[in-house]
Each structure stands twice: as structure tokens, then as C-alpha cells.
Amino acid sequence: MKLYGNPMSTCTRKVLTVLAEKGREAEFVNIDLQKHEQKTPAHLARQPFGVVPALELDDGFIMYESRAIARFLDRTLPGTSLTPADPKAYALMEQFIGVEQSYFSGPAMKIVMERFFNTNNEENIAKGREGVKRPLEVLDAALANRPFLAGNDFTLAEVCFAPYVEYLFAVGEKDLFAPHKNVSAWWDRVSNRPSVKKAHGR
Ligand SMILES: N[C@@H](CCC(=O)N[C@@H](CS)C(=O)NCC(=O)O)C(=O)O
């Protein structure tokens, strides 16, 4: 199995987290985003939108889209499932993956990009900070009476949120989390998980 990705990429990190949870390694093929290797014909043949990651199985099956890959690996690799069997917990997991994708990661990355590349456009940062406010409030309320977003267990919902939260802390935005005690306690649990540490190069 080959994973075409970049170790700094949030989307690649979701896939790496699932592999680490399952105790599996894929052959990692580094796609250099600075050199635009994601736009080469060879990579476009695996990922027609010219981004990472893409997964290639030993039988030649190729797929892309980080959340789809995460679900596929969780379903096919042996080990503890990251998808709840209980239908309501499953619904909550999918709901929060939707929250991450639709409301959180966009504004979070707006902040991260400005800080990470030192462009520091304060207008963009303010928009990003405003954007993540409501999702963080919603997460905080959800985590008031359970340790993880879908219930008692770490699931693909945490896998999907972790790379963006990791970057917000890495670029010094920890004050965003200070008013949200439940989110802060949750992040303590999530960020100390060996799979999350490994996927994020810690
Ligand atoms: N929806 C895609 C998004 C992939 C994506 O945007 N990847 C970023 C890195 S996290 C990328 O390759 N950026 C390089 C570019 O846009 O050229 C997924 O979840 O896999």
C-alpha cells in the first residue's frame, strides 16, 4: 500500500492517524507541494484535482479524498474500529465530521496559512477567528457530558479535527481555546494519543 502525501499536510495527517491507530505503515511517497509535484501528470492520474493525499493498494486500486480514505482504511484494516457500531454514536461521528469539513477547517486554515507563512494579514486572521468561534462553541457544548465527540470513544471525528486543531496551537492561537474548557480537555486527550503524536511528527 502506498500513501502519496506530504507530512505537513492536514489531509495526509488524517490518513496517517488512521494507519497509526491500526498499527500499520504504508509506503510513504512524498509529494513536494512547494515544487508543485501535486500538479504533475503522474500525480493528477491518481488525484485529478492536483492535491494530496492519494492511496494506492497493492492490487492497483487508487483512491483520493482524505476523509474517504480514512473511512476506507478504518473499515478494511484489522484493529479497533474508529467507527461506532451504535447507530446514534455513528450519526454523531458523521455529524461532527460534517461540522469539521463545512464550518471549522476552512476558517481554521485561513488563520493557519497567514501565521504559518508569516503573511499575517490581520483582516484574514480576524475572519478566520470569527469563523471558528461558533464551531468551537458547538464542540464545547457537545463535550460537556462525554469525553469524545461521538461518545466514549475516539473516532474518525477526532481524526478529522486533529490536524486543524494541532496547527492552530502550533501557530500560537491557543487563546481561541481558552474559553472552551471542554474542548481544551478533549484536545488534551486527543493530542496525547500516540497515533495523533505520530501522525503529526511529535
Ligand atoms: N478534499 C481534499 C483536500 C486535499 C487538499 O486540499 N490537500 C492540500 C494539502 S492538506 C494540498 O494538496 N494542497 C496543495 C495544493 O492545493 O496545490 C482531501 O480531503 O483530500
Side-chain angles (χ1 to χ4, degrees), residues 1-3 24-27 55-62:
M1 172 168 58
K2 285 183 184 166
L3 174 61
R24 283 289 294 266
E25 298 274 348
E27 182 186 335
L55 181 76
E56 183 178 346
L57 300 188
D58 295 343
D59 66 5
F61 175 78
I62 297 180

Side-chain angles (χ1 to χ4, degrees), residues 4-48:
Y4 297 85
N6 186 284
M8 301 298 280
S9 134
T10 50
C11 296
T12 303
R13 288 174 169 188
K14 288 175 213 153
V15 178
L16 289 171
T17 306
V18 176
L19 287 170
E21 281 286 329
K22 301 285 183 173
R24 283 289 294 266
E25 298 274 348
E27 182 186 335
F28 193 84
V29 182
N30 189 56
I31 302 293
D32 190 329
L33 303 179
Q34 303 302 320
K35 290 188 181 155
H36 302 289
E37 285 178 359
Q38 71 277 28
K39 311 296 183 198
T40 59
H43 189 69
L44 285 165
R46 354 179 149 97
Q47 213 303 357

Side-chain angles (χ1 to χ4, degrees), residues 67 96-111 128 131-137 139 160-166 168 176-177 183 186:
R67 297 167 190 84
F96 282 107
I97 293 175
V99 170
E100 172 270 301
Q101 186 167 12
S102 302
Y103 312 114
F104 185 74
S105 48
M109 288 313 283
K110 210 184 265 280
I111 306 170
V132 296
K133 217 166 127 188
R134 188 65 189 140
L136 287 177
E137 285 167 3
L139 258 56
C160 289
F161 266 98
Y164 307 105
V165 177
E166 174 89 14
L168 284 171
L176 277 175
F177 296 86
V183 174
W186 166 82

